[in-house]
Amino acid sequence: MSASTRLAAILQAVMQGMPAALSDRHYPGWHLAPVTGLLNDPNGFIHFDGHYHLFYQWNPLGCAHQHKCWGHWRSADLLHWQHQPIALMPDEEYDRSGCYSGSAVEENGVLTLIYTGNVKFEDGSRTAWQCLAQQNSAGEFDKLGPVIAVPEGYTGHVRDPKVWRHENHWYMVLAAQTTQRQGRVLLLRSDDLRAWHSLGEIAGSERGGLGAAGYMWECPDMFTLGDSTYLICCPQGVAPEEKRYLNSHACAWLSGSLDYEQAEYTHGPLNEMDAGFEFYAPQTTLTADGRRLLVGWMGTPDGEEMAQPTVAHRWIHQMTCLRELSSRNGRLCQQPVAELQALREAEQHYQGRADDMPPIAAARLELMLESQGDIELNFADTLILSWQQDELRLARRSLVTGEWIFRYWTGAARRLQILCDHSSVEIFINEGEGVMSSRYFPDTPAKLTLRGGAELTARYWSLRRCMVE
């Protein structure tokens, strides 16, 4: 399909699909979501020339994982976003099967994208190229072509470059799979973004003190906060435990130190990044004032995603809220960005027994709770959080079988901050020590009902809509 033919098909899909998506009661009121089709990984998250740019994996032609383009939003304040022209389409031989995930940097004053060009062959095999594209004076992106081929010793599953500047060099972490089907993260270095030198593997399954930890480590992101250097990744194939790694694919983080000279990353154990039903492929950036922000895809590949009812309205998936990261004693914590407080409407309060608290409209809601006892939070009989003294348990019916399924966060929860949108709930535990992010699909505008004899203190706000322009 030529670029002009593909663009015409995308335009027709948007014109036909957007009314159905925007009229769906599950379409978010303040989260970022596709105007039609399928959204997944955030890409190219960056502050550049006075604006934040967030690119994203987008199939505008349907709700399947095909035809991946890079959509593009821009914001001056992290709250109000504007649609920008499609940044990348799969219209070259080296990216004909999809413009897969990657990152963005500023090179000599020019916004530059580094992405994976995916190529699938008729026999089921594949290859991948790490490619460059630069923004031109018209605001469009000119492809510069591949700069990295599949390195020797790895399969065609090499993707998701995340690039940053350290001292006088560019560095990249790159997801890879060995020919023995082990997931690894590679570290590379460059002087000019074009000629790259591999420094070897720095993390992965059966490395760095880890045991078997998956057959592919997708979407790596490396950064330093305080005294710790963190590696976020999505290790596919991690064995599920009784109360951890229960989604079809996991997202996790490592904490340690990176020796740039020796290209060695010394780290601790693998930690689950989010204990909810939907969280994957997060990406971080630095704000203009030096905060480390994260946004993730509120979805999970290969699970029950295609059973979500939004598919009937020609759209699927959304982003998480934007989150600020912090480091506490080598532990990575997440909290909603302060800018989201501008969405709050009139503040309300409650103090007393959970049983006596009146139901709250939860379609668009921010709720802060403090309690020491056992409480149940019931979101429209569709999502139920059991808050016990040493554990949180989140329950939701399977979209396929109708049976109740569960996710867990283990520990003493003293305080919860809960953000709700029309079909999502994000639960931040103990100022971000833990998070549980989940989609849910109530039949009517959601009401939140609290039950239990424990005393609690609550502050809450309805949240105004904030749609992309």
Side-chain angles (χ1 to χ4, degrees):
M1 184 184 296
S2 68
S4 60
T5 301
R6 187 183 300 273
L7 195 57
I10 290 172
L11 181 59
Q12 182 183 29
V14 169
M15 289 189 295
Q16 292 179 340
M18 187 167 64
L22 297 184
S23 64
D24 183 6
R25 67 176 178 273
H26 297 312
Y27 195 84
W30 58 273
H31 282 80
L32 292 167
V35 294
T36 193
L38 177 142
L39 167 150
N40 57 302
D41 303 6
N43 297 152
F45 191 18
I46 188 173
H47 183 265
F48 170 79
D49 196 25
H51 286 85
Y52 295 93
H53 296 260
L54 180 58
F55 302 83
Y56 56 98
Q57 292 284 284
W58 184 34
N59 174 14
L61 300 179
C63 290
H65 284 281
Q66 299 174 335
H67 314 299
K68 294 295 179 67
C69 304
W70 273 36
H72 183 193
W73 295 303
R74 189 181 77 168
S75 174
D77 61 3
L78 294 171
L79 197 62
H80 302 92
W81 294 84
Q82 295 178 325
H83 292 292
Q84 301 296 298
I86 295 174
L88 300 172
M89 291 192 297
D91 53 13
E92 299 290 347
E93 184 60 27
Y94 54 78
D95 62 14
R96 60 184 170 87
S97 302
C99 297
Y100 278 21
S101 292
S103 51
V105 297
E106 178 180 351
E107 184 197 23
N108 299 322
V110 179
L111 182 56
T112 303
L113 309 182
I114 306 98
Y115 72 99
T116 299
N118 190 47
V119 178
K120 296 180 180 179
F121 302 108
E122 292 184 359
D123 64 0
S125 63
R126 66 198 295 167
T127 192
W129 304 90
Q130 312 313 315
C131 309
L132 291 183
Q134 285 191 323
Q135 193 172 40
N136 59 33
S137 58
E140 300 172 343
F141 287 88
D142 299 322
K143 292 181 179 179
L144 305 183
V147 294
I148 302 173
V150 173
E152 185 176 353
Y154 299 90
T155 72
H157 290 280
V158 178
R159 55 182 173 267
D160 311 334
K162 181 63 190 294
V163 176
W164 71 97
R165 187 81 174 175
H166 177 73
E167 295 181 348
N168 297 319
H169 300 286
W170 295 104
Y171 288 86
M172 174 194 294
V173 280
L174 186 63
Q177 182 188 67
T178 69
T179 52
Q180 287 75 41
R181 302 298 191 269
Q182 294 286 331
R184 300 287 162 81
V185 173
L186 312 182
L187 182 67
L188 299 91
R189 183 173 63 207
S190 174
D191 293 328
D192 61 2
L193 295 178
R194 287 144 180 87
W196 288 90
H197 172 62
S198 176
L199 302 178
E201 300 174 354
I202 59 167
S205 180
E206 306 285 1
R207 282 190 57 91
L210 300 181
Y215 56 81
M216 178 64 186
W217 279 33
E218 291 194 314
C219 305
D221 192 334
M222 180 166 262
F223 53 89
T224 297
L225 272 177
D227 296 329
S228 300
T229 296
Y230 292 95
L231 176 65
I232 296 174
C233 57
C234 293
Q236 296 184 324
V238 173
E241 301 175 8
E242 181 183 2
K243 294 185 177 181
R244 293 199 310 164
Y245 303 120
L246 298 177
N247 291 335
S248 56
H249 296 300
C251 181
W253 57 268
L254 296 166
S255 175
S257 60
L258 176 65
D259 185 330
Y260 280 91
E261 294 300 319
Q262 300 298 320
E264 293 181 352
Y265 181 51
T266 304
H267 60 78
L270 201 64
N271 301 274
E272 193 168 31
M273 184 111 191
D274 190 294
F277 288 96
E278 277 92 18
F279 183 87
Y280 201 76
Q283 189 166 107
T284 76
T285 194
L286 281 174
T287 64
D289 58 3
R291 292 172 292 159
R292 175 66 61 173
L293 299 191
L294 172 145
V295 63
W297 168 34
M298 204 181 295
T300 306
D302 302 329
E304 296 186 347
E305 56 179 328
M306 294 307 160
Q308 293 184 10
T310 68
V311 172
H313 295 263
R314 302 189 183 185
W315 73 281
I316 185 171
H317 298 313
Q318 65 178 55
M319 294 300 180
T320 67
C321 73
L322 295 177
R323 303 172 181 183
E324 181 177 349
L325 300 182
S326 60
S327 179
R328 298 183 207 155
N329 301 317
R331 184 170 186 85
L332 189 61
C333 298
Q334 312 171 58
Q335 290 181 277
V337 292
E339 284 83 352
L340 290 175
Q341 294 175 17
L343 297 179
R344 292 173 176 173
E345 297 181 322
E347 182 173 341
Q348 300 183 68
H349 299 264
Y350 175 80
Q351 187 166 0
R353 294 196 330 146
D355 276 334
D356 298 328
M357 185 173 176
I360 308 172
R364 297 186 307 279
L365 172 71
E366 179 179 358
L367 170 66
M368 291 188 176
L369 284 176
E370 294 185 36
S371 180
Q372 299 295 322
D374 293 347
I375 297 173
E376 181 182 276
L377 289 77
N378 186 318
F379 298 85
D381 294 324
T382 308
L383 188 74
I384 299 175
L385 177 67
S386 299
W387 182 0
Q388 300 167 349
Q389 292 187 7
D390 58 356
E391 180 179 88
L392 296 176
R393 188 188 74 174
L394 195 62
R396 186 181 73 185
R397 289 190 184 276
S398 165
L399 296 174
V400 175
T401 68
E403 298 177 355
W404 285 102
I405 51 179
F406 305 96
R407 297 294 182 266
Y408 304 87
W409 184 85
T410 301
R414 304 176 306 277
R415 181 176 300 152
L416 303 182
Q417 181 180 8
I418 301 174
L419 295 178
C420 304
D421 209 339
H422 297 157
S423 58
S424 66
V425 174
E426 294 163 272
I427 303 163
F428 296 85
I429 307 156
N430 297 343
E431 289 81 35
E433 181 182 338
V435 191
M436 305 180 85
S437 304
S438 298
R439 301 294 303 284
Y440 80 126
F441 305 98
D443 292 332
T444 58
K447 292 282 188 181
L448 170 59
T449 304
L450 279 73
R451 289 289 178 261
E455 296 285 321
L456 62 84
T457 300
R459 299 168 59 207
Y460 54 101
W461 302 260
S462 61
L463 301 177
R464 65 177 176 84
R465 292 178 180 268
C466 191
M467 304 300 288
V468 181
E469 297 176 351

